[in-house]
Amino acid sequence: MKRNGSSGNLILPESGAGLSAKKRRTEKNEIENRNGRRMGIGAQLKTAFTSPRSFFQQRNTRSLQEDLRFFFAIVAIVSVCFTLAAFLQGFYAGGNESGIAGWHLAGFILLGTVVGLLQGLIGGVIFLLGISLIEHFFLLFVDEDVEFEKTMKSVVYALFPAIPFFWAGVVVNVPLASLLMLICFGLITYYGIRVFHEKSKDRAAFVSLATSLVLLILFRRWIFIPGLPW
């Protein structure tokens, strides 16, 4: 038992049951984290579809730095593949009409790939920060004591499906592919808020729907009209 120096009130220590429950939760999170690290990609994807809450509980023990490294690694890979695919499509469709060949052609492709990579990384930063701010804005309506780091963590996972399947709505013009990605974003955001911020179902649903609605308004042309948003 301690005495608060400023107010003189007594501060009672936590009971043994409270400490024991907190210790059990900590040990459970550590076990889930170790199990999540041991699981292969296939097993993790299976857990994400069959038990989303357990999947996000495993991800909750990871640091934001780890998630950001993985996020931008995916962005970099997709950006390079997207740029190379555009070059190959141009060469096969229209031929090499510019007459560039040999090392000049290799240098041209390399320069274009670097530019595409930089554009992808910059775009990833803008989208991540912008959507995180929108989601955090609506979170403040349900709770003032929320951490922006956890909000960004939720957005990182919510954007994962949209990055590799970006080509489905933009390049191949698959009907309603962009709308399906937005719905997927909303569902992942719901579970992310439920687990990372520990919010109730109704509050998580409100933030998820509000954020998705704002994105629907901002990117309505890209979602409902095939092709690039610009």
Side-chain angles (χ1 to χ4, degrees):
M1 184 180 298
K2 297 181 181 179
R3 184 178 297 274
N4 192 322
S6 58
S7 61
N9 296 329
L10 294 177
I11 302 177
L12 297 177
E14 294 187 59
S15 64
L19 289 173
S20 179
K22 183 182 295 186
K23 184 177 180 180
R24 284 197 299 270
R25 286 196 300 268
T26 303
E27 291 176 349
K28 181 180 178 181
N29 289 336
E30 291 177 353
I31 292 173
E32 290 178 344
N33 185 32
R34 288 196 297 268
N35 292 337
R37 291 178 184 274
R38 294 194 191 104
M39 293 168 61
I41 296 178
Q44 292 186 34
L45 289 175
K46 181 180 179 181
T47 304
F49 284 105
T50 58
S51 181
R53 189 173 179 84
S54 298
F55 174 81
F56 279 98
Q57 285 173 343
Q58 294 173 0
R59 304 279 81 76
N60 196 22
T61 56
R62 290 167 58 97
S63 66
L64 179 61
Q65 288 75 14
E66 292 180 279
D67 295 327
L68 288 176
R69 282 196 293 267
F70 187 50
F71 175 81
F72 284 107
I74 298 295
V75 170
I77 293 172
V78 172
S79 300
V80 171
C81 293
F82 186 82
T83 305
L84 291 177
F87 276 118
L88 292 175
Q89 184 181 13
F91 282 126
Y92 280 110
N96 189 7
E97 298 178 355
S98 62
I100 302 176
W103 289 106
H104 295 287
L105 178 60
F108 179 74
I109 294 176
L110 178 61
L111 178 61
T113 303
V114 172
V115 172
L117 174 62
L118 292 176
Q119 287 179 337
L121 293 175
I122 293 172
V125 171
I126 294 174
F127 272 92
L128 179 60
L129 288 178
I131 297 175
S132 297
L133 288 172
I134 294 172
E135 183 175 311
H136 200 73
F137 171 77
F138 289 111
L139 272 167
L140 292 176
F141 280 93
V142 299
D143 189 357
E144 295 181 357
D145 188 20
V146 287
E147 299 178 20
F148 186 73
E149 180 179 342
K150 293 183 178 180
T151 303
M152 186 175 290
K153 190 180 183 73
S154 170
V155 175
V156 163
Y157 285 101
L159 287 177
F160 270 148
I163 298 172
F165 293 106
F166 174 75
W167 57 271
V170 175
V171 181
V172 188
N173 293 336
V174 177
L176 300 180
S178 301
L179 183 60
L180 290 176
M181 283 191 289
L182 180 63
I183 294 173
C184 185
F185 170 87
L187 290 174
I188 297 175
T189 299
Y190 169 79
Y191 282 105
I193 294 172
R194 284 273 291 152
V195 175
F196 299 150
H197 287 289
E198 299 180 353
K199 301 304 175 190
S200 61
K201 293 181 180 180
D202 54 342
R203 294 185 177 187
F206 165 75
V207 176
S208 175
L209 290 173
T211 305
S212 300
L213 180 60
V214 171
L215 296 181
L216 179 65
I217 295 173
L218 292 176
F219 301 104
R220 60 189 180 278
R221 183 177 180 274
W222 175 45
I223 293 173
F224 295 109
I225 301 176
L228 290 172
W230 49 82

